[in-house]
Amino acid sequence: MRKFIVGGNWKMNGSKALVNEISGALNAGDFGPVEIVVAVPAPLLPLAREKFKSTIGVSAQNCSQEKSGAFTGEVNVDILKDINVDWVILGHSERREIFKESDEVVGKKVSFAIKNGLKVIACIGEKLNEREANQTMQVVIRQLEAIRKELSEAEWANVVLAYEPVWAIGTGKVATPQQAQEVHSEIRKWLAANVSQKVADETRIQYGGSVNAKNCGELQSQPDIDGFLVGGASLKAADFVTICRCKL
Ligand code: 13P
C-alpha cells in the first residue's frame, strides 16, 4: 500500500553529462512498483526535467520559506514549479549542520513548500554522539514535532520522511537493517499517536546513509522501510539502477 520510493541526492555533484548518462540508464529501466526521484543541483534542474522521463520525479535539494524578494542566492517554490520541478528535499543534515538551519526553519520550509504545491522529502536523523547518548528518538521526535506543528493532517499526503542517521551519511557505515527498522517503527508509532493512524499507515519513510547496491536488498525487506535516499551511489548509473530495482 505504501509505494516504495527511491531518491537520488546528488548533493553538490554532477554535470550535464551525468544528467544525460543517468537519465539514459533510468529511462530504459523497468523498476516495477518503485517510484524514483532524482535531486540534482539547482542549475541542472531544467535539463534534468527535460531528460528524465515524466514518470521519474525531479527534485530540488533546498528552497526558501519566503515567496520571493531580496534573498540573494536563494531559490523559491514558484520558480521550481515554473520549471516543472515538483519535489524538494528539505532539512538534510548538511543543511542543518553546515548552513545552520534550525528545526523551526525546517518546519517552516516544509510547510511553505507543501502549501504552495510541492512534494517534500523531509530529512531527520541523529548524530553519532546523540545515538551514543541514547538520544536517538528524542532528537528525531524534536525534529518531527517542528514539522508536525506546521502541517494539517491532509498535508502529510505530500510528505515523505527520510530517516538519515548522520553517522551513516557518506561514511560507508550503514545502519543495520534492524537499527533502521527500529527507528522507522518508532517514527510510525509517533505519527499514529501525534498525527493520526491514517498518516502513520500512509506516510512513507525512507532510510538514507551509505545505501549501496549491495546492502539495499536486506534493508528493503524491513517492514517499515519504504524507500531510500541515496547519496554517493546515486552518482553511479549501474549502482543506482540496481538500488531502484531492489523490489523486483
Ligand atoms: P550517502 O548515501 O553518500 O551516505 O548519502 C546519504 C545522504 O545524505 C542522502 O541524502
Side-chain angles (χ1 to χ4, degrees):
M1 54 169 188
R2 291 187 296 269
K3 191 170 192 188
F4 203 83
I5 177 166
V6 176
N9 176 9
W10 288 18
K11 310 191 180 184
M12 199 172 71
N13 299 294
S15 58
K16 291 194 286 182
L18 195 70
V19 171
N20 285 323
E21 184 192 338
I22 305 243
S23 62
L26 290 185
N27 291 349
D30 172 12
F31 303 104
V34 174
E35 183 173 358
I36 300 171
V37 178
V38 182
V40 302
L44 294 175
L45 286 167
L47 180 68
R49 191 53 290 166
E50 182 191 322
K51 295 287 179 180
F52 284 96
K53 64 185 177 188
S54 61
T55 50
I56 296 176
V58 170
S59 178
Q61 299 174 6
N62 182 30
C63 72
S64 174
Q65 71 273 39
E66 302 290 341
K67 185 155 180 60
S68 62
F71 300 98
T72 301
E74 293 290 285
V75 169
N76 70 5
V77 174
D78 286 349
I79 293 171
L80 294 175
K81 287 200 313 186
D82 196 30
I83 58 170
N84 298 316
V85 167
D86 47 14
W87 285 93
V88 62
I89 296 175
L90 292 170
H92 192 280
S93 61
E94 288 147 21
R95 299 296 320 171
R96 293 176 186 266
E97 279 300 302
I98 305 167
F99 299 99
K100 306 292 175 221
E101 290 187 11
S102 64
D103 295 335
E104 190 192 356
V105 163
V106 173
K108 294 215 175 321
K109 285 188 172 195
V110 171
S111 169
F112 188 83
I114 286 173
K115 287 175 177 56
N116 288 281
L118 288 183
K119 292 179 275 191
V120 172
I121 296 176
C123 303
I124 54 180
E126 83 288 2
K127 294 185 256 189
L128 182 60
N129 63 325
E130 293 164 338
R131 175 162 280 262
E132 286 174 347
N134 287 321
Q135 290 170 347
T136 298
M137 283 320 297
Q138 199 180 316
V139 170
V140 165
I141 287 170
R142 192 195 71 218
Q143 294 168 335
L144 279 170
E145 178 57 28
I147 295 168
R148 186 208 60 80
K149 72 193 239 285
E150 302 289 340
L151 297 182
S152 70
E153 186 189 351
E155 285 169 337
W156 281 89
N158 290 314
V159 179
V160 170
L161 292 173
Y163 168 59
E164 299 205 306
V166 180
W167 48 271
I169 295 178
T171 57
K173 200 177 165 199
V174 65
T176 64
Q178 293 70 28
Q179 281 174 321
Q181 167 58 27
E182 189 185 349
V183 177
H184 285 222
S185 152
E186 289 295 323
I187 292 170
R188 211 175 294 290
K189 279 189 211 149
W190 185 88
L191 288 172
N194 294 278
V195 187
S196 69
Q197 189 61 49
K198 178 177 158 62
V199 166
D201 290 340
E202 293 179 359
T203 301
R204 294 174 292 178
I205 309 173
Q206 293 175 316
Y207 167 77
S210 297
V211 174
N212 61 34
K214 291 208 176 72
N215 60 29
C216 62
E218 210 187 338
L219 286 162
Q220 67 77 26
S221 68
Q222 299 299 313
D224 288 298
I225 296 185
D226 309 311
F228 300 125
L229 190 54
V230 185
S234 74
L235 300 167
K236 298 177 203 141
D239 290 16
F240 194 58
V241 164
T242 301
I243 295 167
C244 291
R245 287 175 64 82
C246 70
K247 282 288 179 190
L248 294 176

